[in-house]
Amino acid sequence: MIVVIDAEEEFDWFGEFSRNATNVTSMAHQGPAQALLNRHGVVPTYAVDYPVAAQEEGYASLRDWVKDGACEIGAQLHPWVNPPFDEAVTPRNSFPGNLPADLEAAKLQALTDRIEATFGVRPRVYRAGRYGIGPNTAALLSRAGYLVDSSTVPFTDMRSKFGPDFRAFRPHPYWFGPGARLLELPVTSGLVGRLGARAPWLHDVAEHRLGRALRLGAVLARTGALMRVRLTPEGVPIDEAISATRSLYEQGLRVFTLSWHTPSMVPGHTPYVRSARDLSLFLDWLRRYLDFFFGELQGKASTPLTLRDELLADDA
């Protein structure tokens, strides 16, 4: 298991993006989830964006955990709150991979330098904000010294929102970029159900405009024939997450990347946690999933950089 947590500001998920939405009050409330990870020896990677790295209220607890070896620090690029501010704030520009290469590079450099100044470590793990990698991202990451990316979401098409098309991607790690030296750790997302991974074409049909109009995806999911499940406590029932993990394991997947967003640890900031009860269910989801993964599956915890080193050693 790899855990990559999006450490970010609180912003309006359904409204307009704003350069002024930089509050990071939820960062002081990550302790309950961190304690559950600690219990199983999981060292998460917090993919920190600029507002978190630039404000003491955002980085204080993370800096203590880094010193204690309880977490590692990566980078996450939210363009609308990450200098330099040379682009219009639009839905299209909220995906960093859509920016001109020189501006994406400048924002990545500003973020990397800010994180290093704050935490005393240079980030080597990257996640594009909104999973928005683009045609220049791999070369820019390699040039900036990054070693691992975790931005792809298999079987997912974000083009209707100006984002990437990941329909052809699979959940297994792979090498990419200049010299194939960057390790991609996809957000674990798989097709499960009676048809399982044998019918990705059917999922493509369901995601097509006509398939959406006919609500084909909902029909497939309701009948248990085929559905896409992402490994996260945000919006995914625990039984589905466990069932999907068993199915993906049977399909041969051995690296699972668990993710969520730090604002979900305070009710009202994300669509997934709106009340104190939702937060309690969120933490219960995490407890049950970790107990399942390290109990029934006899899994082990790792980190993105450790896994990369192990894969390189296996290839040597």
Side-chain angles (χ1 to χ4, degrees), residues 183-255:
L183 176 65
E184 178 62 35
L185 291 179
V187 175
T188 297
S189 181
L191 299 180
V192 299
R194 292 196 306 276
L195 297 179
R198 295 187 299 275
W201 62 270
L202 187 55
H203 180 263
D204 290 346
V205 171
E207 289 292 298
H208 190 271
R209 182 180 301 175
L210 178 59
R212 290 179 178 176
L214 296 174
R215 298 183 60 80
L216 179 57
V219 173
L220 292 171
R222 188 166 58 248
T223 59
L226 188 70
M227 62 181 175
R228 185 188 70 225
V229 177
R230 190 181 299 181
L231 188 52
T232 176
E234 295 176 324
V236 177
I238 182 62
D239 292 341
E240 286 186 14
I242 290 175
S243 177
T245 300
R246 290 193 182 111
S247 177
L248 291 170
Y249 184 82
E250 291 171 359
Q251 295 172 31
L253 187 64
R254 292 297 181 267
V255 178

Side-chain angles (χ1 to χ4, degrees), residues 15 17 79 88-99 128-135 156-166 212:
F17 296 97
V89 179
T90 66
R92 180 179 182 83
N93 287 342
S94 68
F95 296 93
N98 288 341
L99 299 174
R130 310 196 73 205
Y131 312 107
I133 57 174
T156 303
D157 185 0
M158 300 180 181
R159 289 177 298 171
S160 65
K161 301 177 181 178
F162 306 103
D165 181 3
F166 294 126
R212 290 179 178 176

Side-chain angles (χ1 to χ4, degrees), residues 17 45 68 73 76 80 83 102 110 115 204 208 248 296:
F17 296 97
T45 297
D68 294 339
I73 299 297
Q76 181 191 189
W80 62 96
D102 58 346
I115 290 174
D204 290 346
H208 190 271
L248 291 170
E296 178 181 319

